Amino acid sequence: MRIGVKITLLLVLVVATAMAIATTFSSLAISKAFSTYFKNNAELRLEEMASDIADYYQKNGWKGIDNVFMPGMGRGRGQGGMGMMRQFSASRIIVTDRAGRVVSDTLREKIGQYYEAESGVEVVPIMVDGEKVGALISATTTGKLEENFISSIKMANIKAGMLATILALIVGIYLSKKMSKPLVTLSEAAKKIANRELSHRVPVYTKDEIGEVGAAFNKMAESIEHNELLRKNLIADVAHELRTPLSILRGNLELLQEEIIEPAPEVFASLHEESIRISRLVEDLQSLSHADAGDLKFDFDSEDLAQVVRKVVLELKAEAAKKNIELCAEGATEIYVRMDQYRIGQVLYNLISNAIRYTEQGIVKITINDLPEYVQVEIKDSGTGIAEEYVPFLFDRFYRVEKSRNRFSGGSGLGLAIAKSFVEAHGGRIWVESKIGEGSNFIFSLPKEREQ
Ligand code: ADP
């Protein structure tokens, strides 16, 4: 059953039940109030009437009494104090004498007969000087009147109930349309996303839960679209990165096969270099894909970060010397941090080799700062520097500020992306402060205590 139909039916059911309960309770309450009111009034009036009849009896005896109770005639005949009887004109009033013989009957049926009191009638004695001279019997029944009154109330309630039900039906249809419309829009949008129409979004009109679902859906679609773009870019970048070394390898091998070039050691050295470049790229990609999937194995232990820095500096000393770059480490000489020393070594290697690569003569200084909560490592160079507009993209995969220059200098464009993912896996942060012409300062921090 559709949600709209469910809401409408539920609303109608609630209204109809509420109306039925209200009708039952009001009928009961009215019936009770009605009979109490009539009973009290009738008793009071019968007693007044009995005293009027006693007065009449004292003056006239029973003679002419039956005429007094002719329906609607009591007052017209000017019999003092009988006006009250008009109240009972629709009921039967009987007066008996001391012996129980009927002396007056508004229906004029039982006059002269002995009257046996039936159940449900009111009997009031007619007293004169403390002595019973007769009885006043009223067969007044409020039943019919009460029944009519209650049934008219019931009828009014049923009409109101029907009106309310129709109203509930209209409100239910309106509400369900209003609620189901965004759901239909959302389900159509989800189908479009599934059909790879990734730019599709849903309009968000309200700030309620439905609006929130719409906004969340749009956010999810945005993220799917972004990831799809990244995936496409990554495939294009990988293909692009592999093409150059592979075409160099292929070209050289073909030339060797056709004996156009000599199989000299330099040729093999160049082929070897290209194959190293390819395997480095594949290794980097593998690290990143593992980091993305969250299954990159980290071997955390308490290690001396200063020791790791010294090791990497030693490895790169010769390369720096080739470019006349002074490589020096400052700051703490022993500082234990919970880390994977191999991965952090790789982060340092990427950052320091970048600093050497993008510096023509000068100095590359590595500083370890022992801060209260973090250990911070700075790799500051006196190189080219990076323009502000490139900084936000530096840590993206395959991002290079000057593509041709960097390809020539051997970078894959993955070094900083890898450094970022490794540092973040340690719960740390990495960023850069740089100015064109003034060099760059790459900084990463690692938390001192790390809960596993
Ligand atoms: P690559 O392998 O190309 O060096 P990275 O991810 O390590 O890739 O660096 C991305 C880009 O950031 C580089 O191509 C370069 O343009 C810029 N870059 C990185 N480090 C430095 C630095 N120390 N000085 C200037 N530019 C840098």
Side-chain angles (χ1 to χ4, degrees), residues 350-351 354-359 381 383-386 394-396 398-402 405-406 409-417 434 439-440 442:
N350 289 357
L351 295 177
N354 272 353
I356 296 169
R357 192 180 299 153
Y358 303 110
T359 303
D381 64 53
T384 53
I386 304 157
L394 279 189
F395 296 92
D396 288 354
F398 293 111
Y399 187 80
R400 289 167 169 152
V401 174
E402 277 180 67
R405 191 195 74 187
N406 292 329
S409 61
S412 67
L414 291 174
L416 289 180
S434 185
S440 311
F442 280 84

PDB file of all heavy atoms in Angstrom, residues 350-351 354-359 381 383-386 394-396 398-402 405-406 409-417 434 439-440 442, ligand 1:
ATOM      1  N   ASN A 350      60.779  11.730   0.933  1.00  0.00           N
ATOM      2  CA  ASN A 350      60.047  12.469  -0.114  1.00  0.00           C
ATOM      3  C   ASN A 350      60.223  13.977   0.061  1.00  0.00           C
ATOM      4  O   ASN A 350      60.473  14.702  -0.902  1.00  0.00           O
ATOM      5  CB  ASN A 350      58.553  12.131  -0.075  1.00  0.00           C
ATOM      6  CG  ASN A 350      58.272  10.723  -0.559  1.00  0.00           C
ATOM      7  OD1 ASN A 350      59.189  10.011  -0.974  1.00  0.00           O
ATOM      8  ND2 ASN A 350      57.021  10.306  -0.500  1.00  0.00           N
ATOM      9  N   LEU A 351      60.084  14.456   1.310  1.00  0.00           N
ATOM     10  CA  LEU A 351      60.146  15.901   1.552  1.00  0.00           C
ATOM     11  C   LEU A 351      61.558  16.444   1.326  1.00  0.00           C
ATOM     12  O   LEU A 351      61.738  17.503   0.711  1.00  0.00           O
ATOM     13  CB  LEU A 351      59.661  16.233   2.973  1.00  0.00           C
ATOM     14  CG  LEU A 351      58.184  15.926   3.261  1.00  0.00           C
ATOM     15  CD1 LEU A 351      57.842  16.232   4.717  1.00  0.00           C
ATOM     16  CD2 LEU A 351      57.263  16.721   2.340  1.00  0.00           C
ATOM     17  N   ASN A 354      62.524  16.323  -2.385  1.00  0.00           N
ATOM     18  CA  ASN A 354      61.845  17.440  -3.070  1.00  0.00           C
ATOM     19  C   ASN A 354      62.610  18.741  -2.837  1.00  0.00           C
ATOM     20  O   ASN A 354      62.844  19.515  -3.768  1.00  0.00           O
ATOM     21  CB  ASN A 354      60.421  17.637  -2.526  1.00  0.00           C
ATOM     22  CG  ASN A 354      59.414  16.769  -3.260  1.00  0.00           C
ATOM     23  OD1 ASN A 354      59.749  16.121  -4.236  1.00  0.00           O
ATOM     24  ND2 ASN A 354      58.179  16.770  -2.773  1.00  0.00           N
ATOM     25  N   ALA A 355      62.974  18.978  -1.547  1.00  0.00           N
ATOM     26  CA  ALA A 355      63.674  20.223  -1.188  1.00  0.00           C
ATOM     27  C   ALA A 355      64.974  20.336  -1.980  1.00  0.00           C
ATOM     28  O   ALA A 355      65.307  21.415  -2.495  1.00  0.00           O
ATOM     29  CB  ALA A 355      63.960  20.239   0.307  1.00  0.00           C
ATOM     30  N   ILE A 356      65.683  19.194  -2.126  1.00  0.00           N
ATOM     31  CA  ILE A 356      66.947  19.213  -2.896  1.00  0.00           C
ATOM     32  C   ILE A 356      66.631  19.452  -4.377  1.00  0.00           C
ATOM     33  O   ILE A 356      67.269  20.259  -5.045  1.00  0.00           O
ATOM     34  CB  ILE A 356      67.729  17.889  -2.695  1.00  0.00           C
ATOM     35  CG1 ILE A 356      68.145  17.741  -1.227  1.00  0.00           C
ATOM     36  CG2 ILE A 356      68.947  17.826  -3.614  1.00  0.00           C
ATOM     37  CD1 ILE A 356      68.696  16.364  -0.860  1.00  0.00           C
ATOM     38  N   ARG A 357      65.567  18.746  -4.867  1.00  0.00           N
ATOM     39  CA  ARG A 357      65.227  18.819  -6.291  1.00  0.00           C
ATOM     40  C   ARG A 357      64.854  20.235  -6.716  1.00  0.00           C
ATOM     41  O   ARG A 357      65.200  20.686  -7.785  1.00  0.00           O
ATOM     42  CB  ARG A 357      64.058  17.868  -6.555  1.00  0.00           C
ATOM     43  CG  ARG A 357      63.806  17.633  -8.023  1.00  0.00           C
ATOM     44  CD  ARG A 357      62.636  16.693  -8.212  1.00  0.00           C
ATOM     45  NE  ARG A 357      62.901  15.391  -7.604  1.00  0.00           N
ATOM     46  CZ  ARG A 357      61.933  14.569  -7.154  1.00  0.00           C
ATOM     47  NH1 ARG A 357      60.676  14.931  -7.227  1.00  0.00           N
ATOM     48  NH2 ARG A 357      62.242  13.416  -6.641  1.00  0.00           N
ATOM     49  N   TYR A 358      64.113  20.926  -5.848  1.00  0.00           N
ATOM     50  CA  TYR A 358      63.622  22.251  -6.235  1.00  0.00           C
ATOM     51  C   TYR A 358      64.479  23.398  -5.678  1.00  0.00           C
ATOM     52  O   TYR A 358      64.005  24.514  -5.544  1.00  0.00           O
ATOM     53  CB  TYR A 358      62.140  22.409  -5.838  1.00  0.00           C
ATOM     54  CG  TYR A 358      61.301  21.315  -6.471  1.00  0.00           C
ATOM     55  CD1 TYR A 358      60.736  20.295  -5.705  1.00  0.00           C
ATOM     56  CD2 TYR A 358      61.135  21.274  -7.853  1.00  0.00           C
ATOM     57  CE1 TYR A 358      60.000  19.274  -6.293  1.00  0.00           C
ATOM     58  CE2 TYR A 358      60.411  20.252  -8.455  1.00  0.00           C
ATOM     59  CZ  TYR A 358      59.845  19.255  -7.664  1.00  0.00           C
ATOM     60  OH  TYR A 358      59.147  18.254  -8.267  1.00  0.00           O
ATOM     61  N   THR A 359      65.733  23.064  -5.326  1.00  0.00           N
ATOM     62  CA  THR A 359      66.642  24.104  -4.848  1.00  0.00           C
ATOM     63  C   THR A 359      67.909  24.086  -5.720  1.00  0.00           C
ATOM     64  O   THR A 359      68.485  23.012  -5.952  1.00  0.00           O
ATOM     65  CB  THR A 359      67.041  23.856  -3.369  1.00  0.00           C
ATOM     66  OG1 THR A 359      65.857  23.801  -2.596  1.00  0.00           O
ATOM     67  CG2 THR A 359      67.937  24.971  -2.822  1.00  0.00           C
ATOM     68  N   ASP A 381      63.737  24.852   2.706  1.00  0.00           N
ATOM     69  CA  ASP A 381      64.747  24.986   1.655  1.00  0.00           C
ATOM     70  C   ASP A 381      64.859  26.441   1.216  1.00  0.00           C
ATOM     71  O   ASP A 381      64.008  27.275   1.554  1.00  0.00           O
ATOM     72  CB  ASP A 381      64.423  24.061   0.469  1.00  0.00           C
ATOM     73  CG  ASP A 381      63.124  24.414  -0.219  1.00  0.00           C
ATOM     74  OD1 ASP A 381      62.945  25.585  -0.596  1.00  0.00           O
ATOM     75  OD2 ASP A 381      62.273  23.502  -0.386  1.00  0.00           O
ATOM     76  N   GLY A 383      64.947  27.228  -1.979  1.00  0.00           N
ATOM     77  CA  GLY A 383      64.737  27.018  -3.417  1.00  0.00           C
ATOM     78  C   GLY A 383      63.756  27.975  -4.077  1.00  0.00           C
ATOM     79  O   GLY A 383      63.589  29.122  -3.648  1.00  0.00           O
ATOM     80  N   THR A 384      63.061  27.423  -5.104  1.00  0.00           N
ATOM     81  CA  THR A 384      62.207  28.252  -5.966  1.00  0.00           C
ATOM     82  C   THR A 384      60.983  28.806  -5.243  1.00  0.00           C
ATOM     83  O   THR A 384      60.481  29.862  -5.595  1.00  0.00           O
ATOM     84  CB  THR A 384      61.710  27.411  -7.162  1.00  0.00           C
ATOM     85  OG1 THR A 384      61.106  26.225  -6.632  1.00  0.00           O
ATOM     86  CG2 THR A 384      62.849  27.016  -8.074  1.00  0.00           C
ATOM     87  N   GLY A 385      60.511  28.081  -4.279  1.00  0.00           N
ATOM     88  CA  GLY A 385      59.271  28.493  -3.608  1.00  0.00           C
ATOM     89  C   GLY A 385      58.052  28.114  -4.454  1.00  0.00           C
ATOM     90  O   GLY A 385      58.181  27.721  -5.618  1.00  0.00           O
ATOM     91  N   ILE A 386      56.892  28.222  -3.866  1.00  0.00           N
ATOM     92  CA  ILE A 386      55.658  27.813  -4.578  1.00  0.00           C
ATOM     93  C   ILE A 386      54.658  28.964  -4.518  1.00  0.00           C
ATOM     94  O   ILE A 386      54.421  29.528  -3.441  1.00  0.00           O
ATOM     95  CB  ILE A 386      55.036  26.555  -3.912  1.00  0.00           C
ATOM     96  CG1 ILE A 386      56.085  25.424  -3.858  1.00  0.00           C
ATOM     97  CG2 ILE A 386      53.800  26.080  -4.657  1.00  0.00           C
ATOM     98  CD1 ILE A 386      55.819  24.396  -2.792  1.00  0.00           C
ATOM     99  N   LEU A 394      48.898  20.968  -3.822  1.00  0.00           N
ATOM    100  CA  LEU A 394      50.202  20.311  -3.777  1.00  0.00           C
ATOM    101  C   LEU A 394      50.141  18.854  -3.336  1.00  0.00           C
ATOM    102  O   LEU A 394      50.892  18.021  -3.831  1.00  0.00           O
ATOM    103  CB  LEU A 394      51.138  21.048  -2.816  1.00  0.00           C
ATOM    104  CG  LEU A 394      51.837  22.287  -3.345  1.00  0.00           C
ATOM    105  CD1 LEU A 394      52.863  22.745  -2.332  1.00  0.00           C
ATOM    106  CD2 LEU A 394      52.529  22.004  -4.672  1.00  0.00           C
ATOM    107  N   PHE A 395      49.224  18.566  -2.380  1.00  0.00           N
ATOM    108  CA  PHE A 395      49.181  17.215  -1.818  1.00  0.00           C
ATOM    109  C   PHE A 395      48.257  16.286  -2.607  1.00  0.00           C
ATOM    110  O   PHE A 395      48.006  15.160  -2.197  1.00  0.00           O
ATOM    111  CB  PHE A 395      48.781  17.276  -0.331  1.00  0.00           C
ATOM    112  CG  PHE A 395      49.805  18.000   0.509  1.00  0.00           C
ATOM    113  CD1 PHE A 395      49.703  19.368   0.741  1.00  0.00           C
ATOM    114  CD2 PHE A 395      50.883  17.309   1.030  1.00  0.00           C
ATOM    115  CE1 PHE A 395      50.654  20.037   1.504  1.00  0.00           C
ATOM    116  CE2 PHE A 395      51.850  17.976   1.789  1.00  0.00           C
ATOM    117  CZ  PHE A 395      51.734  19.338   2.019  1.00  0.00           C
ATOM    118  N   ASP A 396      47.708  16.792  -3.746  1.00  0.00           N
ATOM    119  CA  ASP A 396      46.861  15.941  -4.600  1.00  0.00           C
ATOM    120  C   ASP A 396      47.741  15.017  -5.424  1.00  0.00           C
ATOM    121  O   ASP A 396      48.888  15.345  -5.740  1.00  0.00           O
ATOM    122  CB  ASP A 396      46.024  16.804  -5.567  1.00  0.00           C
ATOM    123  CG  ASP A 396      44.926  17.547  -4.834  1.00  0.00           C
ATOM    124  OD1 ASP A 396      44.754  17.291  -3.622  1.00  0.00           O
ATOM    125  OD2 ASP A 396      44.261  18.382  -5.476  1.00  0.00           O
ATOM    126  N   PHE A 398      49.423  13.240  -8.439  1.00  0.00           N
ATOM    127  CA  PHE A 398      49.913  13.630  -9.767  1.00  0.00           C
ATOM    128  C   PHE A 398      49.912  15.143  -9.989  1.00  0.00           C
ATOM    129  O   PHE A 398      49.946  15.598 -11.118  1.00  0.00           O
ATOM    130  CB  PHE A 398      49.092  12.953 -10.887  1.00  0.00           C
ATOM    131  CG  PHE A 398      49.275  11.462 -10.924  1.00  0.00           C
ATOM    132  CD1 PHE A 398      48.262  10.596 -10.578  1.00  0.00           C
ATOM    133  CD2 PHE A 398      50.501  10.923 -11.302  1.00  0.00           C
ATOM    134  CE1 PHE A 398      48.432   9.224 -10.609  1.00  0.00           C
ATOM    135  CE2 PHE A 398      50.685   9.542 -11.339  1.00  0.00           C
ATOM    136  CZ  PHE A 398      49.648   8.693 -10.989  1.00  0.00           C
ATOM    137  N   TYR A 399      49.836  15.894  -8.891  1.00  0.00           N
ATOM    138  CA  TYR A 399      49.844  17.346  -9.087  1.00  0.00           C
ATOM    139  C   TYR A 399      51.285  17.843  -9.170  1.00  0.00           C
ATOM    140  O   TYR A 399      52.115  17.533  -8.334  1.00  0.00           O
ATOM    141  CB  TYR A 399      49.115  18.070  -7.944  1.00  0.00           C
ATOM    142  CG  TYR A 399      48.986  19.538  -8.250  1.00  0.00           C
ATOM    143  CD1 TYR A 399      47.997  19.998  -9.099  1.00  0.00           C
ATOM    144  CD2 TYR A 399      49.906  20.458  -7.743  1.00  0.00           C
ATOM    145  CE1 TYR A 399      47.906  21.334  -9.446  1.00  0.00           C
ATOM    146  CE2 TYR A 399      49.833  21.800  -8.069  1.00  0.00           C
ATOM    147  CZ  TYR A 399      48.830  22.223  -8.924  1.00  0.00           C
ATOM    148  OH  TYR A 399      48.755  23.546  -9.268  1.00  0.00           O
ATOM    149  N   ARG A 400      51.539  18.612 -10.222  1.00  0.00           N
ATOM    150  CA  ARG A 400      52.872  19.219 -10.382  1.00  0.00           C
ATOM    151  C   ARG A 400      52.684  20.668 -10.752  1.00  0.00           C
ATOM    152  O   ARG A 400      51.801  21.000 -11.543  1.00  0.00           O
ATOM    153  CB  ARG A 400      53.626  18.547 -11.514  1.00  0.00           C
ATOM    154  CG  ARG A 400      54.062  17.147 -11.182  1.00  0.00           C
ATOM    155  CD  ARG A 400      54.484  16.514 -12.456  1.00  0.00           C
ATOM    156  NE  ARG A 400      55.149  15.260 -12.223  1.00  0.00           N
ATOM    157  CZ  ARG A 400      55.120  14.296 -13.113  1.00  0.00           C
ATOM    158  NH1 ARG A 400      54.463  14.457 -14.238  1.00  0.00           N
ATOM    159  NH2 ARG A 400      55.749  13.183 -12.866  1.00  0.00           N
ATOM    160  N   VAL A 401      53.511  21.515 -10.169  1.00  0.00           N
ATOM    161  CA  VAL A 401      53.390  22.939 -10.472  1.00  0.00           C
ATOM    162  C   VAL A 401      53.825  23.198 -11.911  1.00  0.00           C
ATOM    163  O   VAL A 401      53.122  23.822 -12.684  1.00  0.00           O
ATOM    164  CB  VAL A 401      54.210  23.774  -9.472  1.00  0.00           C
ATOM    165  CG1 VAL A 401      54.197  25.249  -9.870  1.00  0.00           C
ATOM    166  CG2 VAL A 401      53.658  23.592  -8.064  1.00  0.00           C
ATOM    167  N   GLU A 402      54.996  22.672 -12.281  1.00  0.00           N
ATOM    168  CA  GLU A 402      55.452  22.830 -13.673  1.00  0.00           C
ATOM    169  C   GLU A 402      55.683  21.437 -14.219  1.00  0.00           C
ATOM    170  O   GLU A 402      56.708  20.814 -13.942  1.00  0.00           O
ATOM    171  CB  GLU A 402      56.763  23.621 -13.711  1.00  0.00           C
ATOM    172  CG  GLU A 402      56.547  25.116 -13.668  1.00  0.00           C
ATOM    173  CD  GLU A 402      57.872  25.828 -13.700  1.00  0.00           C
ATOM    174  OE1 GLU A 402      58.556  25.753 -14.730  1.00  0.00           O
ATOM    175  OE2 GLU A 402      58.235  26.432 -12.675  1.00  0.00           O
ATOM    176  N   ARG A 405      58.981  20.407 -16.347  1.00  0.00           N
ATOM    177  CA  ARG A 405      60.226  20.501 -15.599  1.00  0.00           C
ATOM    178  C   ARG A 405      60.354  19.344 -14.605  1.00  0.00           C
ATOM    179  O   ARG A 405      61.381  18.726 -14.467  1.00  0.00           O
ATOM    180  CB  ARG A 405      60.282  21.850 -14.858  1.00  0.00           C
ATOM    181  CG  ARG A 405      61.640  22.150 -14.271  1.00  0.00           C
ATOM    182  CD  ARG A 405      61.587  23.247 -13.265  1.00  0.00           C
ATOM    183  NE  ARG A 405      60.975  22.772 -12.026  1.00  0.00           N
ATOM    184  CZ  ARG A 405      60.689  23.557 -11.015  1.00  0.00           C
ATOM    185  NH1 ARG A 405      60.905  24.843 -11.101  1.00  0.00           N
ATOM    186  NH2 ARG A 405      60.163  23.076  -9.930  1.00  0.00           N
ATOM    187  N   ASN A 406      59.218  19.043 -13.961  1.00  0.00           N
ATOM    188  CA  ASN A 406      59.275  18.007 -12.940  1.00  0.00           C
ATOM    189  C   ASN A 406      59.451  16.617 -13.521  1.00  0.00           C
ATOM    190  O   ASN A 406      60.099  15.767 -12.942  1.00  0.00           O
ATOM    191  CB  ASN A 406      58.028  18.068 -12.068  1.00  0.00           C
ATOM    192  CG  ASN A 406      58.045  19.330 -11.248  1.00  0.00           C
ATOM    193  OD1 ASN A 406      59.121  19.795 -10.905  1.00  0.00           O
ATOM    194  ND2 ASN A 406      56.893  19.884 -10.985  1.00  0.00           N
ATOM    195  N   SER A 409      62.873  16.248 -14.093  1.00  0.00           N
ATOM    196  CA  SER A 409      63.648  16.070 -12.861  1.00  0.00           C
ATOM    197  C   SER A 409      63.313  14.757 -12.150  1.00  0.00           C
ATOM    198  O   SER A 409      63.862  14.474 -11.109  1.00  0.00           O
ATOM    199  CB  SER A 409      63.438  17.259 -11.926  1.00  0.00           C
ATOM    200  OG  SER A 409      62.084  17.341 -11.593  1.00  0.00           O
ATOM    201  N   GLY A 410      62.401  14.004 -12.699  1.00  0.00           N
ATOM    202  CA  GLY A 410      62.213  12.640 -12.210  1.00  0.00           C
ATOM    203  C   GLY A 410      61.090  12.408 -11.217  1.00  0.00           C
ATOM    204  O   GLY A 410      60.883  11.292 -10.791  1.00  0.00           O
ATOM    205  N   GLY A 411      60.340  13.446 -10.827  1.00  0.00           N
ATOM    206  CA  GLY A 411      59.275  13.239  -9.838  1.00  0.00           C
ATOM    207  C   GLY A 411      58.035  12.606 -10.475  1.00  0.00           C
ATOM    208  O   GLY A 411      57.751  12.828 -11.639  1.00  0.00           O
ATOM    209  N   SER A 412      57.326  11.809  -9.683  1.00  0.00           N
ATOM    210  CA  SER A 412      56.123  11.155 -10.213  1.00  0.00           C
ATOM    211  C   SER A 412      54.867  11.982  -9.933  1.00  0.00           C
ATOM    212  O   SER A 412      53.811  11.727 -10.486  1.00  0.00           O
ATOM    213  CB  SER A 412      55.971   9.781  -9.575  1.00  0.00           C
ATOM    214  OG  SER A 412      55.695   9.949  -8.195  1.00  0.00           O
ATOM    215  N   GLY A 413      54.992  12.948  -9.048  1.00  0.00           N
ATOM    216  CA  GLY A 413      53.799  13.736  -8.673  1.00  0.00           C
ATOM    217  C   GLY A 413      52.988  13.040  -7.591  1.00  0.00           C
ATOM    218  O   GLY A 413      51.881  13.447  -7.272  1.00  0.00           O
ATOM    219  N   LEU A 414      53.552  11.978  -6.993  1.00  0.00           N
ATOM    220  CA  LEU A 414      52.829  11.246  -5.945  1.00  0.00           C
ATOM    221  C   LEU A 414      53.475  11.396  -4.570  1.00  0.00           C
ATOM    222  O   LEU A 414      52.884  11.025  -3.569  1.00  0.00           O
ATOM    223  CB  LEU A 414      52.762   9.753  -6.292  1.00  0.00           C
ATOM    224  CG  LEU A 414      51.886   9.362  -7.481  1.00  0.00           C
ATOM    225  CD1 LEU A 414      52.048   7.885  -7.795  1.00  0.00           C
ATOM    226  CD2 LEU A 414      50.432   9.673  -7.191  1.00  0.00           C
ATOM    227  N   GLY A 415      54.697  11.968  -4.551  1.00  0.00           N
ATOM    228  CA  GLY A 415      55.473  12.038  -3.307  1.00  0.00           C
ATOM    229  C   GLY A 415      54.732  12.708  -2.159  1.00  0.00           C
ATOM    230  O   GLY A 415      54.659  12.163  -1.052  1.00  0.00           O
ATOM    231  N   LEU A 416      54.147  13.870  -2.419  1.00  0.00           N
ATOM    232  CA  LEU A 416      53.463  14.598  -1.332  1.00  0.00           C
ATOM    233  C   LEU A 416      52.150  13.922  -0.946  1.00  0.00           C
ATOM    234  O   LEU A 416      51.780  13.925   0.228  1.00  0.00           O
ATOM    235  CB  LEU A 416      53.205  16.057  -1.751  1.00  0.00           C
ATOM    236  CG  LEU A 416      54.462  16.948  -1.830  1.00  0.00           C
ATOM    237  CD1 LEU A 416      54.088  18.356  -2.260  1.00  0.00           C
ATOM    238  CD2 LEU A 416      55.186  16.994  -0.488  1.00  0.00           C
ATOM    239  N   ALA A 417      51.455  13.324  -1.950  1.00  0.00           N
ATOM    240  CA  ALA A 417      50.190  12.616  -1.644  1.00  0.00           C
ATOM    241  C   ALA A 417      50.480  11.453  -0.701  1.00  0.00           C
ATOM    242  O   ALA A 417      49.744  11.228   0.273  1.00  0.00           O
ATOM    243  CB  ALA A 417      49.546  12.123  -2.930  1.00  0.00           C
ATOM    244  N   SER A 434      55.116  28.700   2.048  1.00  0.00           N
ATOM    245  CA  SER A 434      56.047  28.965   0.956  1.00  0.00           C
ATOM    246  C   SER A 434      55.783  30.323   0.303  1.00  0.00           C
ATOM    247  O   SER A 434      54.645  30.801   0.297  1.00  0.00           O
ATOM    248  CB  SER A 434      55.914  27.854  -0.086  1.00  0.00           C
ATOM    249  OG  SER A 434      56.881  28.036  -1.087  1.00  0.00           O
ATOM    250  N   GLY A 439      61.881  30.284  -1.061  1.00  0.00           N
ATOM    251  CA  GLY A 439      61.967  28.903  -0.597  1.00  0.00           C
ATOM    252  C   GLY A 439      60.677  28.414   0.036  1.00  0.00           C
ATOM    253  O   GLY A 439      59.714  29.167   0.188  1.00  0.00           O
ATOM    254  N   SER A 440      60.701  27.117   0.407  1.00  0.00           N
ATOM    255  CA  SER A 440      59.491  26.518   0.993  1.00  0.00           C
ATOM    256  C   SER A 440      59.826  25.896   2.333  1.00  0.00           C
ATOM    257  O   SER A 440      60.968  25.488   2.571  1.00  0.00           O
ATOM    258  CB  SER A 440      58.953  25.419   0.081  1.00  0.00           C
ATOM    259  OG  SER A 440      58.864  25.878  -1.235  1.00  0.00           O
ATOM    260  N   PHE A 442      58.202  22.841   4.397  1.00  0.00           N
ATOM    261  CA  PHE A 442      57.214  21.763   4.580  1.00  0.00           C
ATOM    262  C   PHE A 442      57.274  21.317   6.031  1.00  0.00           C
ATOM    263  O   PHE A 442      58.361  21.062   6.558  1.00  0.00           O
ATOM    264  CB  PHE A 442      57.516  20.589   3.635  1.00  0.00           C
ATOM    265  CG  PHE A 442      57.027  20.834   2.234  1.00  0.00           C
ATOM    266  CD1 PHE A 442      57.793  21.560   1.325  1.00  0.00           C
ATOM    267  CD2 PHE A 442      55.786  20.367   1.822  1.00  0.00           C
ATOM    268  CE1 PHE A 442      57.334  21.788   0.030  1.00  0.00           C
ATOM    269  CE2 PHE A 442      55.322  20.600   0.539  1.00  0.00           C
ATOM    270  CZ  PHE A 442      56.095  21.316  -0.365  1.00  0.00           C
TER     271      PHE A 442
HETATM  272  P1  ADP B   1      57.062  15.242  -7.539  1.00  0.00           P
HETATM  273  O1  ADP B   1      57.385  13.832  -7.582  1.00  0.00           O
HETATM  274  O2  ADP B   1      56.698  15.823  -8.838  1.00  0.00           O
HETATM  275  O3  ADP B   1      58.039  16.051  -6.767  1.00  0.00           O
HETATM  276  P2  ADP B   1      55.399  15.690  -5.273  1.00  0.00           P
HETATM  277  O4  ADP B   1      54.079  15.209  -4.943  1.00  0.00           O
HETATM  278  O5  ADP B   1      56.514  15.326  -4.368  1.00  0.00           O
HETATM  279  O6  ADP B   1      55.685  15.256  -6.743  1.00  0.00           O
HETATM  280  O7  ADP B   1      55.342  17.253  -5.375  1.00  0.00           O
HETATM  281  C1  ADP B   1      54.308  17.859  -6.095  1.00  0.00           C
HETATM  282  C2  ADP B   1      54.725  19.190  -6.657  1.00  0.00           C
HETATM  283  O8  ADP B   1      54.951  20.128  -5.613  1.00  0.00           O
HETATM  284  C3  ADP B   1      56.034  19.125  -7.373  1.00  0.00           C
HETATM  285  O9  ADP B   1      55.893  18.741  -8.698  1.00  0.00           O
HETATM  286  C4  ADP B   1      56.517  20.562  -7.266  1.00  0.00           C
HETATM  287  O10 ADP B   1      55.954  21.352  -8.287  1.00  0.00           O
HETATM  288  C5  ADP B   1      55.970  21.013  -5.917  1.00  0.00           C
HETATM  289  N1  ADP B   1      56.993  20.935  -4.831  1.00  0.00           N
HETATM  290  C6  ADP B   1      57.142  19.948  -3.942  1.00  0.00           C
HETATM  291  N2  ADP B   1      58.112  20.216  -3.053  1.00  0.00           N
HETATM  292  C7  ADP B   1      58.615  21.422  -3.402  1.00  0.00           C
HETATM  293  C8  ADP B   1      59.650  22.267  -2.888  1.00  0.00           C
HETATM  294  N3  ADP B   1      60.377  21.928  -1.826  1.00  0.00           N
HETATM  295  N4  ADP B   1      59.878  23.445  -3.522  1.00  0.00           N
HETATM  296  C9  ADP B   1      59.137  23.816  -4.577  1.00  0.00           C
HETATM  297  N5  ADP B   1      58.162  23.079  -5.125  1.00  0.00           N
HETATM  298  C10 ADP B   1      57.875  21.896  -4.541  1.00  0.00           C
END
